[in-house]
Amino acid sequence: MTSKKRSSPSLSGKSSAAEYLSALSHKDALARNVVGVNGSRVSSPSTTPALSIASSSMYTSSSDDTEIAELVDDGLSFPSVPPTSEIVYTTRHSEFGHCSNEAYRYTPHHDPSRPVSGHVEEDPPYYILFTTYISYLLLIIIGHIRDFFGKKFYPKDYRHLMPFNGYAALNSDFDSFYTRRLKTRLDDCFSRPVTGVPGRTITLLDRVSEDELNTFKFTGTKTRALNVSSYNYLGFAQARGACADAVEESLNRYGISACGSRSQGGTLDLHVAAEALVARFVGQEDALITSMGFATNSATIPALVGKGCLVISDEYNHASIRFGVRLSGASVRMFKHNDMKDLESLLREAISQGQPRTHRPWKKILLIVEGLYSMEGTLLDLPAIVKLKQKYKFYLYVDEAHSIGALGAHGRGVADYFNIPPHSIDILMGTFTKSFGAAGGYIAGSHALVSRLRLRSHANAYAESMAPAILTQIIASLSCITGVESSAPSSALTSSHTVTASTDDSRDYRGPVPASCLPSWIELSPSLRSGEEGRVRLRRLAFNARYLSRALIKLGFITYGHADAPIVPLLLFHPGKMSQFSRLMLERKTPIVVVVVGYPATPLVTSRVRFCLSASHTKEDVDLVLDACDEIGDLIDLKHGSGERWPLEEIKRRAVELVEME
């Protein structure tokens, strides 16, 4: 399949992608201020229309001098450049949806006069809980009956569960029961193979099973679906654009191989620049970058605490935190999720009683919490924890894997969202796999702390250092969020890992990145260098998150989490409804890919679907999700929430009002 390409004189002949994007940005700005012949403002198309597999493969311009061609892949559209507001859309933008309607923006903020909303669990009707428990009971009884007779009559199928030829069983019968009897039946929902960029849409590799989902065969076809299942919060996971161009240039300059261990001379100028930019971004003195997000926690925590230390951990903390605490040898106590009263009671007991048996004072007390909890969608009550920290003098470790880049007016995480000085937090941890479209993670804190971690953290001393292409993606995406100073770029990079804290801003957040901190070969368009594109993405993400969360509640669903969180869990309760919901969403005219989660990742009776919003989504995309949820919710009986309900059409019409409601 081929596509035509017709360019305007003003856009043709550009020597680089950066110049072309700059011209597009200029035309977009002009389009927002078009004045008609009668003096009235001419409205331009506000958003990319809803996804349509049967849509045309060309953009149609509203004027003769602006037409942009589009690449076509498997009959689905992949625009080669971001479109402008001047275009009348007849197709969709697959990686990042265009939206010029300023009403579909929201600046997230926290009202200090209001308490932080806690984790509220709304119970469904009793018959839902009763049938959920009954379903698990039937699953266990029938499953064990099948196992008993299966071992007698079909021993070949159960060989891995029984001793054979002098060897012990490969798997434990009891431990693998849940996997065999429930997870395997949902493998078509849990293990969907994908290809390409996980942007606004995602491409699935179609497959079928002929043996009850035990094995699959690829059909050779693909399905492009609306993607509400990826942590691509700011939409930087794109195959085109300034970040992708910078990564391509870094591959040409540095190659594709990793750099080796940091302790063996694997530090490049890009490592120094990235660490300085991260420290500047989060408002700390120094930062350390690791090549794996999970290891950022699991390898750092043992370097911070050990025997004789106490770790106080939220009960819903991530597995990487639990693993790191276990490796450290420190004592650990859990407190109820986001329950500040339970936390203070635990602190008082721990400080007064000291270490077990000896009752000696603890060498160190470290509180570990997450900024945004990925399964619940809840935010950390940071103001209350900072008050407790001032009172009880413990150390505070905040995991911002999901909140960095996704929360706050500047995208700097929970401290930015609650307007709290970042130096109030001793250790800030985050990952680049979500908002920044890269990989790995970071630890930020005081210069003395990070210097010690460079020596003691196994993730720094023994692991492979981050590849140049990934570092470039981090530097480029960070620069897009913060903006770059207008001074002339320089090839000089920061010569030290330490970034001096600012004394002018009480939150220690510096402004745009100095051009001298970026490699001279990274080219960004004017809208990206100014930080305007980053601000727009943050506000679009906030609008999408609040709109979906509030709309689902008005439709009658039970949801968890904070309204400003880009993760929106919708409760399904019954384990059998996980597969039904996921399959029905994928079978719609416009397929939608969702993530369903059940036990043991969640409590037994709180199976859920977890929507992950992105700045790449448009309002029409969220409307598609609401349409699907409304129909499927009625079909499989999911609307058990309390409170006022609105009709779907009223929700769509009053979307802006719904988002701005407190």
Side-chain angles (χ1 to χ4, degrees):
M1 185 178 294
T2 60
S3 62
K4 302 176 184 178
K5 181 172 183 179
R6 293 177 290 177
S7 302
S8 68
S10 59
L11 295 180
S12 60
K14 300 298 179 185
S15 60
S16 68
E19 292 182 13
Y20 193 66
L21 292 175
S22 176
L24 286 172
S25 177
H26 176 67
K27 281 190 168 290
D28 184 73
L30 293 177
R32 295 173 191 266
N33 296 279
V34 175
V35 179
V37 293
N38 58 355
S40 62
R41 183 181 175 86
V42 178
S43 61
S44 58
S46 60
T47 60
T48 305
L51 301 182
S52 174
I53 301 301
S55 60
S56 169
S57 62
M58 284 293 297
Y59 287 126
T60 303
S61 174
S62 59
S63 60
D64 294 335
D65 66 341
T66 308
E67 295 186 5
I68 301 177
E70 183 179 40
L71 302 179
V72 178
D73 184 7
D74 296 331
L76 301 175
S77 55
F78 290 82
S80 56
V81 292
T84 71
S85 300
E86 298 169 294
I87 301 167
V88 176
Y89 299 99
T90 59
T91 186
R92 58 185 172 75
H93 189 70
S94 62
E95 291 184 6
F96 195 94
H98 175 71
C99 177
S100 62
N101 192 332
E102 294 295 331
Y104 301 150
R105 310 280 192 271
Y106 183 80
T107 301
H109 63 278
H110 171 66
D111 185 356
S113 62
R114 293 175 176 265
V116 180
S117 56
H119 181 53
V120 179
E121 295 186 0
E122 184 177 354
D123 293 327
Y126 284 114
Y127 79 89
I128 294 293
L129 296 175
F130 178 76
T131 55
T132 300
Y133 282 115
I134 288 295
S135 67
Y136 279 108
L137 182 62
L138 291 175
L139 176 74
I140 293 172
I141 294 174
I142 296 176
H144 281 298
I145 292 175
R146 291 188 62 183
D147 285 352
F148 177 79
F149 287 103
K151 292 175 182 178
K152 299 291 184 181
F153 299 104
Y154 304 99
K156 290 184 179 180
D157 295 337
Y158 291 85
R159 182 176 297 179
H160 61 293
L161 301 176
M162 299 185 295
F164 176 75
N165 198 24
Y167 292 96
L170 184 62
N171 299 111
S172 167
D173 192 346
F174 179 81
D175 292 343
S176 64
F177 180 84
Y178 180 86
T179 302
R180 290 182 289 109
R181 293 305 174 202
L182 184 60
K183 179 185 176 298
T184 301
R185 299 181 181 183
L186 303 177
D187 266 347
D188 62 321
C189 304
F190 288 156
S191 309
R192 288 175 179 151
V194 300
T195 184
V197 175
R200 178 194 178 205
T201 66
I202 196 168
T203 303
L204 305 179
L205 301 177
D206 298 332
R207 56 183 185 164
V208 295
S209 177
E210 299 174 353
D211 54 1
E212 299 181 350
L213 304 182
N214 287 312
T215 60
F216 294 90
K217 294 181 180 179
F218 290 108
T219 63
T221 60
K222 301 177 183 178
T223 298
R224 178 162 288 277
L226 179 65
N227 179 24
V228 285
S229 61
S230 298
Y231 295 138
N232 182 26
Y233 296 136
L234 293 182
F236 282 117
Q238 295 179 244
R240 297 174 179 84
C243 293
D245 291 344
V247 171
E248 183 178 356
E249 178 63 23
S250 74
L251 291 174
N252 295 332
R253 290 173 175 267
Y254 293 94
I256 62 175
S257 62
C259 309
S261 171
R262 295 290 292 273
S263 63
Q264 298 173 357
T267 299
L268 300 173
D269 54 353
L270 292 178
H271 290 95
V272 178
E275 289 176 342
L277 289 176
V278 168
R280 182 186 183 92
F281 182 68
V282 300
Q284 295 285 2
E285 291 182 359
D286 202 356
L288 169 66
I289 283 178
T290 61
S291 58
M292 181 180 176
F294 189 96
T296 308
N297 275 328
S298 61
T300 299
I301 294 174
L304 295 172
V305 292
K307 188 176 181 180
C309 299
L310 174 65
V311 172
I312 300 178
S313 176
D314 189 288
E315 64 177 341
Y316 287 168
N317 274 348
H318 191 262
S320 60
I321 296 175
R322 296 168 180 261
F323 187 64
V325 173
R326 196 178 303 125
L327 289 178
S328 70
S331 299
V332 59
R333 297 287 298 274
M334 311 284 284
F335 69 95
K336 295 179 181 178
H337 176 55
N338 245 1
D339 190 330
M340 296 301 105
K341 291 183 179 179
D342 187 51
L343 173 59
E344 184 169 15
S345 175
L346 180 57
L347 282 167
R348 287 180 176 179
E349 179 187 351
I351 294 173
S352 64
Q353 297 299 317
Q355 300 184 38
R357 294 188 296 275
T358 64
H359 298 288
R360 293 177 179 175
W362 296 102
K363 295 180 180 178
K364 192 184 303 179
I365 296 179
L366 178 65
L367 174 63
I368 304 181
V369 288
E370 295 186 38
L372 171 61
Y373 292 84
S374 61
M375 285 297 171
E376 310 300 318
T378 49
L379 293 187
L380 165 70
D381 190 350
L382 186 60
I385 285 184
V386 169
K387 290 181 181 179
L388 291 176
K389 182 176 183 292
Q390 295 170 350
K391 183 177 182 179
Y392 294 101
K393 311 302 180 184
F394 55 82
Y395 294 97
L396 179 58
Y397 183 114
V398 178
D399 179 340
E400 292 211 272
H402 291 270
S403 54
I404 191 67
L407 290 176
H410 307 88
R412 291 179 166 98
V414 289
D416 184 19
Y417 180 83
F418 291 111
N419 198 29
I420 289 178
H423 57 72
S424 301
I425 304 172
D426 300 290
I427 305 109
L428 280 171
M429 174 269 174
T431 62
F432 303 114
T433 57
K434 280 80 176 179
S435 298
F436 305 102
Y442 68 86
I443 293 289
S446 66
H447 180 58
L449 172 72
V450 175
S451 297
R452 183 170 181 83
L453 288 178
R454 294 187 194 281
L455 299 176
R456 296 199 58 181
S457 174
H458 291 172
N460 187 71
Y462 299 109
E464 291 289 330
S465 61
M466 196 173 289
I470 300 176
L471 289 166
T472 303
Q473 171 70 18
I474 295 168
I475 293 172
S477 58
L478 261 176
S479 302
C480 293
I481 298 173
T482 61
V484 182
E485 288 181 353
S486 57
S487 57
S490 171
S491 59
L493 297 172
T494 49
S495 58
S496 172
H497 292 284
T498 305
V499 179
T500 305
S502 171
T503 57
D504 299 331
D505 192 336
S506 62
R507 295 179 304 161
D508 290 344
Y509 290 137
R510 271 71 70 185
V513 175
S516 60
C517 292
L518 301 181
S520 58
W521 45 267
I522 292 184
E523 298 183 5
L524 301 175
S525 64
S527 64
L528 295 179
R529 294 184 70 90
S530 67
E532 177 62 26
E533 176 69 19
R535 289 188 289 272
V536 169
R537 292 192 183 213
L538 287 166
R539 297 181 68 209
R540 283 184 59 177
L541 173 64
F543 178 90
N544 292 338
R546 289 179 71 89
Y547 178 37
L548 180 61
S549 176
R550 298 282 178 82
L552 289 175
I553 294 174
K554 290 298 183 182
L555 284 174
F557 294 98
I558 296 178
T559 65
Y560 283 171
H562 195 280
D564 289 329
I567 299 171
V568 184
L570 186 155
L571 274 293
L572 304 176
F573 298 104
H574 199 290
K577 293 181 180 179
M578 289 193 293
S579 58
Q580 286 182 310
F581 192 95
S582 180
R583 291 163 186 166
L584 288 172
M585 292 289 275
L586 190 61
E587 291 170 0
R588 296 183 62 83
K589 180 180 179 181
T590 299
I592 302 175
V593 176
V594 298
V595 171
V596 289
V597 189
Y599 179 83
T602 67
L604 191 66
V605 295
T606 59
S607 300
R608 67 198 65 177
V609 55
R610 190 179 55 173
F611 297 107
C612 300
L613 277 300
S614 170
S616 63
H617 293 128
T618 65
K619 177 184 178 294
E620 284 74 14
D621 295 337
V622 181
D623 287 342
L624 279 175
V625 176
L626 293 174
D627 286 332
C629 289
D630 187 45
E631 295 179 13
I632 298 174
D634 289 331
L635 183 63
I636 61 177
D637 191 24
L638 295 177
K639 298 181 179 180
H640 305 294
S642 60
E644 180 187 8
R645 297 192 183 185
W646 291 6
L648 180 58
E649 292 306 318
E650 183 179 359
I651 290 174
K652 294 179 181 179
R653 179 171 52 84
R654 299 172 62 182
V656 176
E657 176 187 347
L658 194 62
V659 167
E660 294 178 351
M661 289 173 56
E662 293 297 335

